[in-house]
Amino acid sequence: MGGLGRPYLYLLGSIFYSNYQIKGVAARGISLVGAMAIIEGTVERITFRNEDNFYTVFKLLASTGDLHTCVGNLPRIVVGEELKLFGEWTKHEQYGLQFNTETAIPCTPTTTLGIERYLGSGLIKGIGPSTAKKLVEKFGLKTLDIISNEPHRLTEVEGIGEKKGEIIAKAFLEQKDIQDVMVFLQGNGITPTYAVKIFKVYGKESVQIVQENPYRLADDIFGIGFKTADTIAKNIGFKEDDPHRIRAGIRYALGQAIEQGHTYLPDEELIKTASELLGVDVKKDFLAELGKAKQLIIEEDRCYLPSLYEAECNVAQRLKELTRYVPSLPFDLSIESEFKLAPEQEQAVKAAMQEKVLVITGGPGTGKTTITKVVLTMWEKAGFKILLGSPTGRAAKRLAEATGRPAKTIHRLLEYGFGNGGMSFQRNEDNRLKGDALVLDEFSMVDIRLMDSLLKATDDKMRLLFIGDCDQLPAVGPGNVLKDLIASNRIPVVRLTKVYRQAEQSQIVMNAHRINQGYFPEINNQGDFVFMERKEPKEIATLILDLVSSRLPSHIEKRFNLSDPLDAIQVLTPMRRSETGVDNLNRLLQARLNPAGKKNEIQLGYRLLREGDKVMQIRNNYQKDVYNGDIGRITRIDPEERLLEVLYNDENGDRLVNYEEEEIDELTLAYAISVHKSQGSEYPIVVMPVTTQHYMLLQRNLLYTGITRAKKLVILIGTKKALFLCIKNNKTSARYSYLANRLQEE
């Protein structure tokens, strides 16, 4: 079966043998759970098979006569097939001892019985048990060679005509393609899960594509980044200065900048970054090459990915088109008096009546919600059809609760779904939103790509009201849309600064404003703002565990009228990797809040997920209608089928979402999340470490954003020195964006 040839398979097998035998593990070392091992035998029975991800549970009859349970992501295997398996023995809590297969090398059956069982398994279209028996009776041990190399001879068998012979030969070769691809990919250090993804994208051309340009994997396969593709390239002999590598490295360097929020990089900075990344001297000529191939857009000294250049230009052009004059609506003083507007709020409402596009920005307690309610009431009185939206499900749900009107996420407003030959926003320049006005809350979270899609779908006559806090962290995605609109001086802006009486009673609100103005917070630990001083990171982590698992839950229902501590309490932290970072705190909190027991769990790489875990989606999945930052709870895990089910709660209420094995890497634990990921959300209680261990990320707007996520109680844990450094550092990370300049251009 192995189309790469038996010498190749022998060499590959020898490499694996040497690697495993160095560890001193014999093929029959089944008592060594977790140790690398090799077993060989015949597939006796297939217990379970998932055709989407190739996850298989099967019985292998070893040459020793033992019958083993084996599992793994494998290309199609059949009863009677002889395999050499590389992997490790594991002890499953429910199913006992089983062999976890990492690589499977097909071996040509060596007996006529093995060949007959293999062909009669139903694997090859046109061959059933009866035909398999006739083939083996006619050709004996040469049967597989004849099907592969001399298919015209199949007509020598009774009942096989020329057409049926062609069908059999074609099906046999297709199956051989799958085996060849999987052996090649796994032999070059690609895990079975990624090998399956690659085969599903490229099919039988997988080997050729990977050999010609493995860097394509970083563009085409989710989960395989440049570094993984670079490792594969080195394994198959690519040199450090290979043009494919340099071009991919430049695009990767630009992609990394985009992940940090930039829409472009200056050419000199891009060359410097790419050279450091690749360890070679990158010439400017490569930028010109990529520009000529339309893989980069170079405008003066600015280097863009084409999609971001187009988005930035579109947003600027569309906003200019939409800001044409609109006659003002009458300002109804009876509505104004009902809500008792202050002068600053009245100015904001008047502006909303007069302007086609308006930005209202302000911190907590400045009356943004009150203004929104007044504007909505007045627009409704004028007969307007109004749409309400927010970037996230939680924010949309909060907007709906605050205004008493339905609200949706921007993605749902734009109706993402199947159309025009693929998945895309169904609301666009050819099918625009129907309405007279659109209100978008938490506008600081909107990146340049989403803004582009939104404006394409906006009707020329529609009014736009953008509401957000420009002092919060900018969007996770590329661009700095809210600040750019304000900085351009071309879009009308109302800035709210006064904190109103009811909000003044909250220490969270008052201290958030103090911090935003560069002052140290007032700390008396008597209200809703608490600071607990601890110096050592280990002490801080221990206190967080204690608070979240026992001290806070015991008071939550009584003091805050909340029933579910897991939903009520959110740990926010500036960093991912440190003792008080996201990864370590999640590991500790999972062990404390949802310990191992009789619950099903699934391990994928470093990720261990368990039924009952609090998890977060970390990329937009439009087909499932879940988005980056959505938080839910795992309700069920099926370890055999390798799938899990997550319960989400958003503006549409509770809903269950299923994940196949290859999609599980879109989830991560969410007992602790980064401050960036918390944008647009509010939590009853926020617990947040502030330590000099996070020195590189101690920025005022990060602390301000974290504090303003809390509705009822915020607890900061750390040192006053770290808090002081954070407040004094108002140097927010600059983002390369040209939107403000484009808006200023005539």
Side-chain angles (χ1 to χ4, degrees):
M1 274 292 285
L4 295 178
R6 293 191 65 80
Y8 175 82
L9 294 181
Y10 177 78
L11 174 62
L12 183 61
S14 298
I15 292 169
F16 276 106
Y17 266 123
S18 61
N19 285 344
Y20 290 126
Q21 286 181 339
I22 285 170
K23 299 176 187 250
V25 180
R28 282 178 57 85
I30 63 174
S31 61
L32 300 177
V33 174
M36 290 299 181
I38 304 168
I39 60 174
E40 191 170 349
T42 305
V43 178
E44 187 74 12
R45 183 171 72 253
I46 295 174
T47 308
F48 170 79
R49 175 79 178 169
N50 185 329
E51 289 301 335
D52 289 332
N53 58 22
F54 297 166
Y55 181 75
T56 310
V57 180
F58 61 101
K59 298 289 187 180
L60 188 83
L61 182 61
S63 53
T64 60
D66 299 317
L67 191 65
H68 302 308
T69 299
C70 304
V71 299
N73 295 81
L74 304 171
R76 180 173 291 181
I77 62 172
V78 295
V79 172
E81 186 174 13
E82 294 183 16
L83 297 174
K84 184 177 290 182
L85 306 179
F86 301 86
E88 63 182 24
W89 292 98
T90 58
K91 189 75 175 286
H92 191 280
E93 190 173 296
Q94 185 175 352
Y95 302 106
L97 192 68
Q98 56 187 30
F99 192 80
N100 196 352
T101 307
E102 293 185 5
T103 302
I105 296 177
C107 306
T108 304
T110 55
T111 66
T112 54
L113 179 61
I115 294 171
E116 183 181 330
R117 290 184 68 194
Y118 171 69
L119 291 176
S121 64
L123 173 68
I124 311 300
K125 187 176 180 181
I127 302 179
S130 175
T131 303
K133 186 175 182 65
K134 290 178 183 177
L135 283 165
V136 173
E137 285 176 351
K138 176 67 178 176
F139 300 120
L141 293 174
K142 294 182 179 180
T143 302
L144 299 180
D145 287 335
I146 285 170
I147 297 174
S148 182
N149 302 314
E150 301 178 78
H152 60 277
R153 290 192 59 192
L154 295 177
T155 56
E156 297 175 18
V157 176
E158 182 187 350
I160 299 181
E162 189 174 331
K163 187 174 181 180
K164 185 173 181 178
E166 289 174 0
I167 292 172
I168 290 172
K170 183 182 177 183
F172 187 80
L173 289 172
E174 285 176 353
Q175 194 57 37
K176 189 169 71 171
D177 286 338
I178 296 175
Q179 297 285 10
D180 291 352
V181 167
M182 299 299 281
V183 169
F184 171 80
L185 294 176
Q186 293 180 55
N188 281 285
I190 301 173
T191 66
T193 299
Y194 285 138
V196 168
K197 288 186 176 184
I198 292 168
F199 184 80
K200 290 180 81 170
V201 173
Y202 300 139
K204 65 181 181 181
E205 296 178 355
S206 300
V207 173
Q208 180 184 343
I209 288 171
V210 172
Q211 285 178 326
E212 288 177 355
N213 182 11
Y215 296 99
R216 279 187 59 179
L217 299 173
D219 293 326
D220 299 343
I221 314 295
F222 173 70
I224 296 184
F226 171 81
K227 291 183 178 179
T228 302
D230 199 33
T231 300
I232 294 166
K234 288 175 183 175
N235 286 345
I236 60 178
F238 274 66
K239 294 181 179 178
E240 281 196 338
D241 60 353
D242 187 281
H244 283 305
R245 181 173 187 263
I246 292 175
R247 285 191 288 267
I250 291 170
R251 295 182 72 239
Y252 174 66
L254 187 53
Q256 290 293 98
I258 290 166
E259 286 188 11
Q260 293 166 12
H262 304 294
T263 55
Y264 72 88
L265 276 186
D267 52 10
E268 293 297 333
E269 187 167 337
L270 178 55
I271 288 169
K272 180 184 176 185
T273 304
S275 297
E276 291 172 353
L277 170 77
L278 297 170
V280 297
D281 188 17
V282 174
K283 304 295 184 188
K284 200 169 184 176
D285 294 348
F286 278 103
L287 297 185
E289 271 185 46
L290 288 167
K292 191 174 180 180
K294 301 196 183 306
Q295 293 184 357
L296 282 186
I297 299 292
I298 303 173
E299 182 186 59
E300 297 178 359
D301 68 336
R302 297 180 294 277
C303 297
Y304 289 85
L305 289 182
S307 61
L308 285 179
Y309 176 77
E310 184 181 347
E312 192 175 86
C313 291
N314 287 346
V315 167
Q317 181 60 34
R318 188 73 182 130
L319 281 171
K320 290 175 187 178
E321 293 171 0
L322 291 170
T323 48
R324 293 174 185 154
Y325 175 75
V326 175
S328 61
L329 291 174
F331 191 69
D332 192 331
L333 292 176
S334 65
I335 294 175
E336 182 186 355
S337 60
E338 177 189 338
F339 282 91
K340 298 179 182 178
L341 297 180
E344 192 180 61
Q345 294 174 319
E346 184 177 317
Q347 178 196 355
V349 174
K350 283 182 178 178
M353 297 303 107
Q354 294 166 344
E355 304 293 350
K356 181 71 175 293
V357 180
L358 177 67
V359 171
I360 296 178
T361 185
T366 56
K368 296 192 295 295
T369 301
T370 299
I371 291 166
T372 303
K373 288 179 181 178
V374 175
V375 170
L376 291 176
T377 302
M378 296 183 72
W379 277 349
E380 285 168 349
K381 190 172 182 180
F384 279 17
K385 179 186 177 184
I386 306 166
L387 304 176
L388 298 179
S390 283
T392 68
R394 281 176 177 251
K397 185 178 181 182
R398 197 172 68 250
L399 178 61
E401 290 169 350
T403 62
R405 297 164 174 89
K408 295 182 179 180
T409 63
I410 296 173
H411 291 90
R412 292 191 180 106
L413 275 176
L414 299 183
E415 297 175 16
Y416 192 88
F418 188 82
N420 300 320
M423 299 295 289
S424 60
F425 288 120
Q426 301 307 296
R427 294 290 181 179
N428 50 43
E429 57 268 51
D430 299 320
N431 180 29
R432 288 181 167 157
L433 292 165
K434 302 293 188 287
D436 302 293
L438 171 64
V439 178
L440 284 184
D441 196 20
E442 294 289 353
F443 189 63
S444 63
M445 293 183 65
V446 175
D447 65 32
I448 194 70
R449 289 189 180 113
L450 191 56
M451 186 67 169
D452 179 30
S453 297
L454 181 74
L455 293 181
K456 282 177 179 175
T458 302
D459 188 81
D460 291 339
K461 297 178 181 179
M462 186 177 280
R463 294 171 185 251
L464 298 177
L465 175 57
F466 301 133
I467 303 169
D469 185 346
C470 65
D471 293 317
Q472 285 187 25
L473 291 169
V476 174
N480 213 350
V481 176
L482 176 56
K483 285 189 176 180
D484 283 347
L485 264 57
I486 295 171
S488 73
N489 292 317
R490 292 298 179 93
I491 306 297
V493 177
V494 176
R495 189 184 292 269
L496 306 172
T497 57
K498 179 176 173 55
V499 179
Y500 292 94
R501 188 176 302 164
Q502 186 175 358
E504 285 178 345
Q505 298 171 8
S506 166
Q507 288 185 329
I508 293 175
V509 172
M510 294 309 298
N511 279 331
H513 284 276
R514 286 184 63 82
I515 287 166
N516 199 34
Q517 294 160 13
Y519 299 114
F520 204 80
E522 293 181 357
I523 299 171
N524 57 28
N525 289 357
Q526 297 298 311
D528 57 9
F529 187 98
V530 174
F531 178 78
M532 304 178 78
E533 189 151 16
R534 297 290 188 280
K535 290 185 178 180
E536 297 301 321
K538 190 172 182 180
E539 286 183 293
I540 295 171
T542 300
L543 179 54
I544 290 172
L545 280 180
D546 188 31
L547 285 168
V548 174
S549 64
S550 58
R551 289 169 65 175
L552 285 171
S554 64
H555 295 286
I556 275 179
E557 189 170 359
K558 186 176 179 181
R559 181 176 171 186
F560 300 117
N561 196 28
L562 299 167
S563 58
D564 189 345
L566 207 56
D567 280 341
I569 305 167
Q570 185 60 58
V571 178
L572 304 181
T573 180
M575 292 186 74
R576 288 208 63 83
R577 293 175 180 85
S578 70
E579 198 157 5
T580 55
V582 171
D583 295 339
N584 188 53
L585 288 178
N586 267 322
R587 182 180 61 81
L588 296 173
L589 287 165
Q590 182 192 44
R592 181 73 65 88
L593 300 175
N594 191 28
K598 293 184 178 180
K599 299 174 182 176
N600 288 328
E601 57 186 37
I602 191 167
Q603 178 91 45
L604 282 175
Y606 70 89
R607 283 182 173 87
L608 173 65
L609 299 178
R610 188 175 290 138
E611 287 174 343
D613 273 338
K614 185 177 181 180
V615 291
M616 180 172 61
Q617 177 81 11
I618 58 173
R619 70 182 285 251
N620 290 339
N621 188 321
Y622 300 107
Q623 281 131 320
K624 293 185 180 298
D625 199 18
V626 287
Y627 304 101
N628 191 353
D630 285 354
I631 291 179
R633 197 86 64 89
I634 296 176
T635 56
R636 186 175 71 92
I637 291 177
D638 188 322
E640 284 237 350
E641 293 192 28
R642 307 282 284 178
L643 58 81
L644 56 78
E645 194 174 68
V646 178
L647 178 67
Y648 290 101
N649 180 276
D650 52 33
E651 76 273 26
N652 293 330
D654 288 346
R655 62 194 181 91
L656 290 169
V657 176
N658 291 313
Y659 290 79
E660 301 285 347
E661 181 180 17
E662 66 268 23
E663 298 169 323
I664 295 174
D665 56 5
E666 297 178 12
L667 294 171
T668 189
L669 292 175
Y671 300 102
I673 64 174
S674 69
V675 178
H676 282 84
K677 290 288 189 183
S678 73
Q679 288 173 264
S681 296
E682 282 186 350
Y683 314 96
I685 301 169
V686 165
V687 178
M688 182 174 169
V690 184
T691 165
T692 51
Q693 195 180 28
H694 302 154
Y695 183 80
M696 296 297 291
L697 289 172
L698 288 180
Q699 294 175 349
R700 186 188 298 174
N701 66 343
L702 185 139
L703 179 62
Y704 173 78
T705 300
I707 288 171
T708 54
R709 299 308 88 207
K711 290 193 293 185
K712 296 181 181 292
L713 175 66
V714 64
I715 301 175
L716 302 181
I717 306 170
T719 63
K720 289 183 178 178
K721 178 183 177 182
L723 199 56
F724 178 82
L725 290 172
C726 203
I727 293 164
K728 291 305 175 186
N729 181 11
N730 198 30
K731 295 178 182 178
T732 57
S733 301
R735 289 190 170 194
Y736 289 114
S737 167
Y738 208 64
L739 177 60
N741 305 70
R742 295 189 195 283
L743 286 167
Q744 291 165 351
E745 293 170 354
E746 295 299 332

